[in-house]
Structure formats: structure tokens, C-alpha cells
Amino acid sequence: MDEKRLYDILGQNVEVPDMVNKKLEQAYGLMSQKKRPAKRRGFRPVRTVLVAAALIAALCATATAAYQLFRQDVAVSKPQLVQGILGGGGTAWDEEKNYDQMGRLSYWPKRELAPVDEEQAMKLLGDYLPESGYQWQLEDFTFTVEGYVLDEHTSTGRIYYTIERPSGFPEGVVDWEHGVLDFTKVDFDLPSFEPQTEVKWPWLGGRQYVDVTRSTPEKLVIVEALGNPLAASDAGWKAADGLRVKFYDGKKAIANLELPGVESLPAVTVKNPETGETAVTFSAIGMMLDTQYLRSYLPNGDEIHDMMKYLALEYADGTSYVIRDGGLDNADYTCSDEKSTLHHICFNRLVDPDRVTAVVVDGQRYEVG
């Protein structure tokens, strides 16, 4: 079915890629049980309705199930996966302040990284990874999700995926020094992720980092830190429901893909001894922190909310994971709702919850256990 015939039947101009045409042929072929003639002068009214219904169904399937049809389960290397999903191929840098020719400031807070212990990572994450990797072919892109971990308690997650294109990507698309994508040079929209749980805020925010050890001019290997600022206050999204991926190739192909659900990572809850309310919840990959302590009021009654200045996890061996301290930022992603005091923070390294003895935030110390 060509584009003109589709327009004549449905009364709207629809851009039809090759994959859609194939699905239309399949849909019509199932109804007629014979090959469609090269030219057809017209349809009887009843048949027109049937064919139009088939076309609509085919188009709807193309937006969702057609891409599901081409999903392939792929084997992945678990050691490589846990390295990548925890940012093992990322880069660290010192605090930087640069001004361009227009006088615009480019600021990079200092970022530190910790090596990934594969044995410990598998112990903490292994049971919460999907059964395999998943791959789709979207026009000239090959999109492969190698793995992901989700924490519904803190509304955070991490997903490790690759995007391959034989023709390659624009020069300079990767800032190799910082291991991030230069969005001014990306000629397509990166996939966005959302929980399949029905929540008021379906979209998961995130920040992408490039695995510089595996990426090439034709293949981007990305780890994305995810967070949902409203999920915890809206009954929460469930890891078992899986993720929905919306992929745009920058031209015309739009895919609604689905990733299977997984078991949520466990989390530790710490109470505020003064109020008895939850102050901190944290897991191996992220944290949800209530910053009510930052609230104060002006003489006129207006509420103000200061910025968090210091945040750290203290370990039983006397060491600390300092997440934020002035010009240091060791969080891969932080998000919050402006109407809430909850902050959702994705760590930039693996945390063993059993080793954490205290959470320290702006001088306040919350003992764990």
C-alpha cells in the first residue's frame, strides 16, 4: 500500500517507512489470502472499511508491537555489564571553569571515580539484572540494551546500552575528556525512558555518560543514570513492571519499546531521631534524601529552601564516600520536585549498604542500624 492510497483511504497524510509498508502488505495479505495486484481501480464499500481497519491496526502495531516483533534477546558478558553499568568506563576530572568567546561560563565540578570490584558488583547486583540483553534494529540504527538495575525505593536506576550506526556519528559528538555526549553535535534524539507503572510523572530524567573504553566513531556505549522525582510521593513505580523506551532517530522513525521488569534492589531506611520520619533511603546505586532541614522562613512568612552543601556516606572501616562538598560532585544525577523536599541521587560508584554506618548531610548525622 503506497502513501497516496493510504492518504485516500484514511484521509490523512502519513509518512510510511519501509517497515510499515511491509506490515501493510502482511495485514492485507492475511485478509485476501492472495497477492495484492500491482494496481487496483477501487474497492467496494464493505471491503474499504475492512482494509482501512487493517491499515489502522498495522500502523498502531508499527508504533509498538512491530518493533517488539524485531526484538532479539542477546547474550552479554556479565563482568563487562557490571563494569559498564557502574560507570567503569567513565572518566574523572578536576574542577573546571571555562569561558567561551561569548563570555559564557562552562563549569565542571570535580568528579572522582572508584574502581569497580566485579565480584562485589555481581554479589550486590547479579540477582537484580535482566535475564539477557535486548536488541532492536531501527532503520540504520542498532539499539542494544545490555542491562539495567532499578531501585523503586529511591526511584533511581542505571541502564547500559549501545547505539550503532554504520555511517558513524558526527565528529566531536563525544567529549572524550569528560566522557559525556556533546548535545550540540548529536544529530538524533537519544532514547528516553519511563516506567510502565501508572504514575503521575511517567518520565524518568537522566544523564548519559560514555563508556570511553568501548565507544568508537560507529558505536556509542552509554550508561545512563535515571531518577524519577515524583514517583516516591505518588505510590511509587515498580521495577517489576519494566521500562518503556521511546526512541527517535532524528528523522521519522519513532519506536515505543518495552523492557521486561526486574526485581527491585533492596534499600536501607534511616529515620530522623527527632521526628521519627524517614530521613534517608539508600541502596547500592542511589539515595532518596529528605531535606526538610533546609527549609526556613523569612520574616514575611515566605519559605526558602537552601542548597545542600555537603553529603557523605561513612563506612565501617573509617573511610567515606563524599558525594557533594563545595566544588566536588560525585553524583551521576540528582533530581527533585520543586514542591517537595525529596532529593533523588544516583551514585557514581557501587555502594555496599551493609558497610554504611552513617549518612552525614550538612552537619546532620544519621546513624545507620
Side-chain angles (χ1 to χ4, degrees), residues 281-345:
T281 302
F282 65 91
S283 69
I285 64 166
M287 167 188 291
M288 182 172 67
L289 174 69
D290 192 340
T291 57
Q292 285 192 24
Y293 68 91
L294 289 175
R295 277 183 167 174
S296 57
Y297 298 88
L298 299 174
N300 63 1
D302 289 344
E303 180 182 335
I304 59 175
H305 197 251
D306 296 329
M307 294 293 293
M308 178 171 46
K309 298 177 177 64
Y310 181 86
L311 176 63
L313 302 180
E314 293 186 354
Y315 295 129
D317 62 3
T319 61
S320 298
Y321 166 29
V322 180
I323 302 171
R324 179 171 296 176
D325 185 15
L328 172 70
D329 188 354
N330 281 330
D332 271 352
Y333 183 65
T334 301
C335 61
S336 61
D337 172 29
E338 61 180 8
K339 298 180 181 179
S340 171
T341 57
L342 296 177
H343 280 63
H344 304 267
I345 299 166

Side-chain angles (χ1 to χ4, degrees), residues 50-70:
L50 292 175
V51 172
L55 293 175
I56 293 172
L59 285 172
C60 292
T62 300
T64 55
Y67 291 103
Q68 289 285 4
L69 183 64
F70 292 94

Side-chain angles (χ1 to χ4, degrees), residues 251-262:
K251 298 178 182 178
K252 61 183 179 181
I254 300 175
N256 293 313
L257 315 176
E258 292 186 356
L259 292 171
V262 292

